Amino acid sequence: MSKFYKFLTTLAFLWLSVGWAWAQYTVTGTVSDDRTGEPLIGANILVKGTSTGTITDIDGNFSISFDGNDAAELVISSIGYLSQTVPVQPGLGALTIRLKQDATNLEEVVVTGLASSVKRSNLANAVASVSAKELTGTTTIQTTDGALYGKVAGATIRSNGGAPGGGISIQLRGISSLQGASQPLIIVDGVYINNDSQRTGRASVSGAGGSNQDDGSNRLADLNPADIETIEVLKGPSAAAIYGTRANAGVIIITTKRGAEGRTTVSISQDVGFAEPLRLLGVDDWSEEKINFFFTENRRPIELERFREAQATGNFVDYEDYFYNNRALLLNSRVNVSGGNQKTKFYVSAGITSEDGTVRNTGFERYSIRANLDHKITDGIKLGISSNYIRSNTDRGFTGNQNNTGASIGYSIAYVPNYYDLRRNEDGTYPINPYFSDNPVAVTDNGVNNSEVNRFIQAFTLDVDLLKRPNSYLKFNLSGGLDYLQNSTTVYLPEFLQFQRGQANPGDILIGRQESFNTNIQAALVYNWNLGTVNMNSQAGLVRLDFENSSLFNRGRGLVPGQTNLQQAAIQEINSQSTSEIQEAGVFLQQEANWEDKIIGTVGIRWDKSTLNGDPNQFFAFPRASLAVNLANFDFFQSSTISQLKPRIAYGETAGPVFFGATFTPLGGTNIGGLLGSTVSTSIGNTQIQPETATELEFGIDAGFFNNRLSLEATYYIKNTQNNIQSLRLAPSTGVNTTPSNEAELQNKGLELGLSATIVEKANFRWFSRVLYWQNDIEMTRLGIPTYIAGGFGAGLGTFLYAEGYSPTTIVGTPADASIPGGFTIWGDAQPDFNMSFYNTFNLFRGLELSFLIDWRQGGDNINLTSFLTDGGGTTNGWFDDDNGDGTPNGRQRPPEPYNNAGRWVQDATFVKVREIGLYYTLPKVTLQEWFGNTVQNIRVGSSVNNAFLFTDYQGYDPETSTFGAQAVANNVDIAPYPTPRRIFFHLTIDF
């Protein structure tokens, strides 16, 4: 019996042991929005300290099982909401989790290194983030960079005009270079992409001059804004130092949308809208009195006859209205499919944008397809792939500057009185324009200014867990990609145009083909470990960048009538050809330390070399360091009002690349008597040239009040740029004129403030508001060469002063003033006094949302040469008025005194613009289930306006447009641009 008893006891013990080993418990619950009570789909449920987790279903429900009977903690999170940590144990009932919206983005993850990130609440830099909702949630924006207006403190944004397809310049924290890169580096899903404003050839055919007057679009216009999840803006060297040689002007990091674990979702969106001019200036009426005053005596009889004929027939033409005031149809169609499981996640999208311009025969079309895939090969190996193909076709028309060719609408109509009809005759011919060199109606109807882009962007990331221990891990990251861009352009003026008929070889065509192929690859090791209570994150890696660019422009003149083939031209020439290959390599190290989210410090350094430098094998070092202290996380800090208080300081160094060819003396081709040869350029290369460098010291404080319903972000920075490249004039005895040299130094000082608040938070009403303020002051602290003036069109119309102690944005011009360096009178400054933006969003009841964005720029002057043209042609609205009653019309005499100097064209560009207004309604989930069951998950309808209203005293179409928008300094010269459109949309989105 005793043996049998022992056997039963042993058997029972084993059974109980097995039962204990297999003990489990399950936790269930629901996650919803704290304000509305709506279930949150796809919220993440993670067991703290593990990789075990799940997501909520379409009703916000979740279920997760635990082995054993030990207590645990669940971390519940969702994008745009504050995370919660909830303790769980066996026998716990169903959980009800209500997440609060993260209005201050404290949970947002921000890039701080090439292979690491940090929560915004621990960030030591003022890094701006723009979410998908902020980017496109209010209205439909044509281009990604155009969606950043008013959303990034420290950004000065200008457009080349309102032509379809964009064309925008962004400067972060002032001017970073006098001649070189003053545009930020753009990175999309880890790929260094080409954002050049590429040549179209319009300026060559129109006689305007260099390609900087082409009115071309920069290539960020290729990206579909609807594909973007977040944009992070590293505004200065203190944040961007880890990107080294190409980060002088800041870095914009774009992350596209990706799939999430759970139910496959299909989303279809359609926008239908129209565009019209935001602002028209009007034209001056004519009278016999005005004709007798304006025209010379021998011209008066014929002009009076034309005027009286128009009076008799009532045939007056408002050319501004005829050319610019046309309603344009706007269509945007999008579809995306996303979903996945624990192993594979996917996001596939396609979009078609078709937008007409407010000028006839202009428009923009973009076709985009994207596939983002994330796959877990094993538990320790993850692969991510992003593929994007874009095809766009843009007709930009003929606006902006020209030189006697008539190939600019605004330039031409400035000189045409409204009593002369230039419209096409019934027989298909066009009247001769007796007031200018061509008939702008004929140019608009028959001229071609087209750009066709094919682009492929491919990115990949590979993460490998090399080592995992309870308190440390080692990870290997390999990432990179390629950006292939092909841009085919055609600019064509047929032989029957008025100006062409007067040429020896009528008919002009310029065909261009530009290609760029950029690749980058990065390998990094990331080691995360604990040093007592301090979490340490170490990273080290290598970077390799390769850039290949080529362009070929062929021109034909003397075309056979009706032909656009270069072989049908009497004169065939290679207008320009260029090829460049650039290689760069870098090594980086970074160490981050986090003591219980109380004190967070980072030190790092990067070394880069580039074939653009005088010594291609020399490494340049770019260190960085930062420190943030979360005072509110310390035990001694007890406050019911202040929920966050974080002083921070950061320092960093970056560089701007040397322009290609600076180390070489170019040779130009020549043909003398049929013999080919080469001629030496008047500019000689400099083998000692170095990259432009910048250092920045940034101080800031972040504060949150009333459980972070009110937050403040304040930043002051001092950015110094050294080794700025300028042309050094040489003695005539050298046989050449100039050489590039590292001489000038600039200093930018600025203040950035952000104040955001959830003013009202109730179930049926929520009001969130954000105010941004920024200002920047620039000074040339060292010039290194004699004072000079440059930019624009000379001292008679306004130009820019380059002198120590002055900002290079200082506008000077006639009359002469010997007391000022450079010898001319100071009339203004292109740098604004300050910028402000005001964003509000109201959630009404449970599905209605109203939002708007107002942008205010105070100060900053433009050189308004549109007024110069219309005054010269007598068509400026109010030209014949006489404000001071001295007998001289305004069009011939404008202040300031002494009259008719350069100050006449320098105008205050202060404005207030209502940039975005959106009103949307999302149908309640209960209604959708009643109507469609579980088939339709979401329906959102709405309407919106982009560029709704403009308030300004500036006498131009838009104070933000510029003929030289892409230039570093002279980017505020206004010459007959394409008027900015007001865009009105109606929206429908259905999610299945």
Side-chain angles (χ1 to χ4, degrees):
M1 269 313 276
S2 62
K3 290 184 178 180
F4 182 72
Y5 176 78
K6 290 180 179 179
F7 172 77
L8 288 179
T9 304
T10 304
L11 186 63
F13 177 79
L14 291 173
W15 182 83
L16 288 172
S17 298
V18 171
W20 176 262
W22 286 96
Q24 281 188 326
Y25 68 95
T26 300
V27 175
T28 62
T30 302
V31 182
S32 60
D33 184 294
D34 181 63
R35 184 182 65 83
T36 65
E38 291 281 352
L40 293 180
I41 304 171
N44 291 298
I45 317 297
L46 184 68
V47 180
K48 189 173 183 179
T50 74
S51 59
T52 303
T54 185
I55 63 171
T56 56
D57 61 18
I58 59 174
D59 297 315
N61 298 323
F62 70 89
S63 176
I64 188 167
S65 297
F66 294 84
D67 293 332
N69 291 294
D70 293 336
E73 289 183 317
L74 294 181
V75 179
I76 297 95
S77 63
S78 184
I79 295 175
Y81 291 84
L82 293 170
S83 300
Q84 281 191 31
T85 301
V86 179
V88 295
Q89 59 188 13
L92 188 70
L95 296 173
T96 299
I97 310 296
R98 300 177 71 94
L99 296 184
K100 293 181 178 291
Q101 290 194 19
D102 183 16
T104 54
N105 297 322
L106 294 178
E107 298 285 333
E108 180 181 50
V109 175
V110 178
V111 172
T112 57
L114 293 178
S116 65
S117 57
V118 68
K119 287 196 305 182
R120 178 169 291 277
S121 58
N122 291 335
L123 191 64
N125 287 98
V127 176
S129 296
V130 182
S131 67
K133 179 176 174 55
E134 293 174 301
L135 198 70
T136 58
T138 301
T139 189
T140 298
I141 306 295
Q142 192 177 66
T143 63
T144 298
D145 41 12
L148 297 178
Y149 277 112
K151 299 169 186 174
V152 178
T156 300
I157 303 176
R158 287 187 182 273
S159 69
N160 296 333
I168 286 177
S169 163
I170 300 176
Q171 286 187 353
L172 300 173
R173 292 185 173 176
I175 293 172
S176 301
S177 173
L178 297 173
Q179 295 184 359
S182 213
Q183 301 294 309
L185 170 67
I186 310 290
I187 298 176
V188 178
D189 290 333
V191 179
Y192 290 59
I193 72 164
N194 184 335
N195 189 40
D196 291 341
S197 182
Q198 292 191 322
R199 183 185 179 193
T200 67
R202 185 202 68 87
S204 297
V205 173
S206 69
S211 60
N212 55 7
Q213 296 187 62
D214 267 353
D215 184 31
S217 173
N218 55 303
R219 299 284 26 117
L220 197 54
D222 299 328
L223 294 185
N224 185 353
D227 282 343
I228 295 174
E229 183 67 35
T230 60
I231 296 179
E232 294 178 15
V233 183
L234 312 183
K235 292 177 281 190
S238 63
I242 201 68
Y243 289 92
T245 298
R246 293 186 170 264
N248 241 19
V251 181
I252 294 179
I253 302 170
I254 298 174
T255 304
T256 60
K257 296 177 180 177
R258 311 197 76 82
E261 181 183 340
R263 184 180 191 272
T264 297
T265 300
V266 179
S267 180
I268 299 174
S269 299
Q270 180 64 57
D271 307 326
V272 179
F274 61 89
E276 58 189 20
L278 173 60
R279 187 187 198 210
L280 293 178
L281 303 175
V283 296
D284 200 50
D285 289 327
W286 290 78
S287 63
E288 293 193 11
E289 180 186 8
K290 180 180 175 182
I291 289 172
N292 286 325
F293 180 90
F294 184 83
F295 290 100
T296 59
E297 186 173 352
N298 63 327
R299 283 282 302 277
R300 292 170 190 165
I302 189 171
E303 297 301 331
L304 289 170
E305 180 182 348
R306 290 169 178 167
F307 175 74
R308 291 164 183 162
E309 182 179 349
Q311 270 190 322
T313 60
N315 189 25
F316 289 89
V317 183
D318 183 335
Y319 285 106
E320 183 186 56
D321 182 79
Y322 174 82
F323 283 104
Y324 298 148
N325 197 15
N326 301 290
R327 180 162 289 186
L329 179 64
L330 311 175
L331 297 172
N332 288 279
S333 306
R334 301 178 301 279
V335 60
N336 65 67
V337 182
S338 64
N341 52 38
Q342 287 186 342
K343 195 172 184 65
T344 304
K345 303 177 183 66
F346 62 90
Y347 174 88
V348 179
S349 72
I352 300 175
T353 297
S354 178
E355 301 191 355
D356 295 333
T358 55
V359 173
R360 291 179 180 85
N361 296 324
T362 63
F364 173 65
E365 293 181 347
R366 177 179 57 215
Y367 304 87
S368 172
I369 185 167
R370 171 177 292 279
N372 291 352
L373 180 70
D374 296 290
H375 180 66
K376 186 183 290 186
I377 300 173
T378 68
D379 287 341
I381 303 177
K382 300 175 184 177
L383 175 66
I385 296 175
S386 301
S387 301
N388 190 197
Y389 171 72
I390 309 116
R391 179 181 176 88
S392 67
N393 192 299
T394 310
D395 289 302
R396 299 187 67 84
F398 290 86
T399 55
N401 191 26
Q402 62 88 59
N403 274 309
N404 300 319
T405 63
S408 168
I409 294 171
Y411 211 118
S412 296
I413 65 175
Y415 293 91
V416 181
N418 61 358
Y419 55 80
Y420 191 84
D421 194 347
L422 292 174
R423 293 173 295 187
R424 188 172 63 172
N425 298 321
E426 292 183 0
D427 62 0
T429 61
Y430 294 86
I432 295 294
N433 183 358
Y435 304 97
F436 208 68
S437 53
D438 213 329
N439 183 329
V441 180
V443 172
T444 301
D445 289 350
N446 300 281
V448 175
N449 179 13
N450 178 263
S451 175
E452 186 176 271
V453 170
N454 286 280
R455 189 168 198 173
F456 180 65
I457 301 174
Q458 176 69 56
F460 77 92
T461 59
L462 179 67
D463 290 303
V464 181
D465 294 330
L466 300 177
L467 176 67
K468 272 192 173 182
R469 291 181 177 174
N471 294 315
S472 65
Y473 66 80
L474 177 64
K475 181 175 70 174
F476 171 72
N477 172 267
L478 182 68
S479 63
L482 63 89
D483 175 23
Y484 173 73
L485 169 64
Q486 179 196 85
N487 185 7
S488 300
T489 60
T490 301
V491 181
Y492 168 59
L493 296 174
E495 77 289 340
F496 57 80
L497 294 179
Q498 178 179 324
F499 175 79
Q500 293 296 323
R501 292 202 304 267
Q503 304 305 300
N505 294 284
D508 199 344
I509 188 167
L510 185 71
I511 296 178
R513 185 182 181 94
Q514 299 162 90
E515 289 188 346
S516 70
F517 185 68
N518 298 348
T519 61
N520 64 280
I521 190 166
Q522 169 187 302
L525 286 172
V526 180
Y527 182 49
N528 189 279
W529 49 291
N530 292 327
L531 184 61
T533 59
V534 179
N535 179 258
M536 309 290 285
N537 195 69
S538 311
Q539 60 177 287
L542 307 171
V543 179
R544 170 66 185 255
L545 310 175
D546 288 86
F547 306 95
E548 297 179 10
N549 297 279
S550 65
S551 68
L552 176 62
F553 284 84
N554 291 317
R555 188 173 186 179
R557 283 174 286 179
L559 289 166
V560 172
Q563 294 292 319
T564 58
N565 191 314
L566 288 168
Q567 292 181 322
Q568 299 293 324
I571 299 177
Q572 303 166 22
E573 66 170 336
I574 298 175
N575 179 264
S576 69
Q577 183 179 11
S578 67
T579 302
S580 67
E581 293 185 7
I582 303 166
Q583 291 85 40
E584 295 177 359
V587 180
F588 62 91
L589 300 171
Q590 182 165 293
Q591 179 63 58
E592 302 162 69
N594 181 337
W595 177 47
E596 298 179 339
D597 285 350
K598 296 174 181 176
I599 300 177
I600 304 94
T602 301
V603 293
I605 189 169
R606 173 165 172 161
W607 294 272
D608 277 357
K609 67 176 183 178
S610 172
T611 57
L612 294 172
N613 298 334
D615 182 353
N617 295 312
Q618 181 181 355
F619 278 93
F620 291 86
F622 307 106
R624 64 168 300 197
S626 65
L627 181 68
V629 181
N630 274 319
L631 295 176
N633 291 348
F634 284 86
D635 295 336
F636 66 79
F637 192 93
Q638 300 293 329
S639 173
S640 59
T641 302
I642 302 175
S643 43
Q644 185 197 23
L645 187 61
K646 182 183 67 178
R648 50 186 169 79
I649 185 172
Y651 173 83
E653 299 182 12
T654 56
V658 177
F659 60 85
F660 181 79
T663 58
F664 302 100
T665 302
L667 299 177
T670 187
N671 188 317
I672 301 175
L675 299 176
L676 297 178
S678 298
T679 58
V680 177
S681 169
T682 57
S683 179
I684 189 171
N686 182 357
T687 57
Q688 303 301 314
I689 202 76
Q690 295 184 2
E692 300 178 326
T693 56
T695 63
E696 182 182 64
L697 184 61
E698 176 184 289
F699 307 89
I701 188 167
D702 300 335
F705 306 91
F706 312 113
N707 199 25
N708 288 319
R709 285 187 57 175
L710 174 66
S711 67
L712 170 69
E713 180 179 296
T715 303
Y716 179 76
Y717 61 86
I718 303 172
K719 182 173 75 171
N720 294 297
T721 61
Q722 304 86 22
N723 300 322
N724 282 278
I725 298 175
Q726 295 183 102
S727 294
L728 175 65
R729 290 196 172 275
L730 302 175
S733 59
T734 61
V736 291
N737 295 338
T738 61
T739 187
S741 63
N742 299 109
E743 296 293 339
E745 296 179 4
L746 289 170
Q747 184 176 79
N748 288 270
K749 293 181 179 179
L751 176 66
E752 298 168 357
L753 299 174
L755 182 66
S756 60
T758 304
I759 299 174
V760 179
E761 180 84 38
K762 295 185 179 297
N764 290 323
F765 181 53
R766 180 178 184 268
W767 176 13
F768 173 77
S769 183
R770 181 184 65 226
V771 179
L772 298 179
Y773 171 94
W774 64 99
Q775 67 179 59
N776 184 80
D777 296 313
I778 312 171
E779 181 184 349
M780 182 92 71
T781 54
R782 182 177 183 271
L783 182 59
I785 61 176
T787 296
Y788 67 98
I789 58 174
F793 295 92
L797 299 176
T799 186
F800 298 88
L801 174 64
Y802 293 75
E804 287 187 13
Y806 292 82
S807 168
T809 57
T810 303
I811 304 172
V812 299
T814 55
D817 185 344
S819 66
I820 301 297
F824 290 99
T825 304
I826 295 176
W827 289 116
D829 193 325
Q831 184 76 10
D833 298 329
F834 66 81
N835 289 74
M836 284 189 71
S837 70
F838 186 44
Y839 171 76
N840 285 269
T841 181
F842 304 89
N843 297 98
L844 308 171
F845 307 106
R846 290 184 180 268
L848 197 63
E849 181 177 274
L850 171 67
S851 56
F852 63 86
L853 174 66
I854 299 174
D855 205 358
W856 172 20
R857 186 177 75 189
Q858 179 63 43
D861 298 293
N862 286 357
I863 300 174
N864 188 351
L865 300 186
T866 301
S867 291
F868 167 75
L869 298 177
T870 56
D871 270 2
T875 56
T876 309
N877 195 10
W879 190 96
F880 206 49
D881 295 343
D882 184 7
D883 289 346
N884 61 7
D886 66 351
T888 302
N890 292 344
R892 288 279 171 85
Q893 176 180 278
R894 295 191 186 275
E897 296 185 48
Y899 295 118
N900 301 336
N901 47 64
R904 174 176 176 175
W905 318 117
V906 180
Q907 298 179 6
D908 182 5
T910 295
F911 69 85
V912 173
K913 186 178 287 188
V914 182
R915 294 216 181 260
E916 300 178 5
I917 304 175
L919 178 63
Y920 293 87
Y921 180 67
T922 302
L923 270 67
K925 301 289 185 185
V926 175
T927 303
L928 292 176
Q929 287 185 341
E930 290 177 355
W931 290 0
F932 307 104
N934 290 327
T935 304
V936 177
Q937 304 303 312
N938 180 64
I939 295 180
R940 188 175 190 241
V941 296
S943 62
S944 67
V945 187
N946 175 219
N947 292 328
F949 303 104
L950 171 64
F951 305 95
T952 183
D953 292 329
Y954 178 70
Q955 297 303 305
Y957 291 110
D958 190 337
E960 291 182 294
T961 61
S962 170
T963 294
F964 303 103
Q967 286 194 348
V969 177
N971 62 358
N972 63 320
V973 181
D974 179 345
I975 311 176
Y978 195 120
T980 299
R982 175 187 292 112
R983 296 152 51 88
I984 301 172
F985 287 97
F986 301 94
H987 310 273
L988 172 64
T989 298
I990 303 176
D991 297 334
F992 297 94

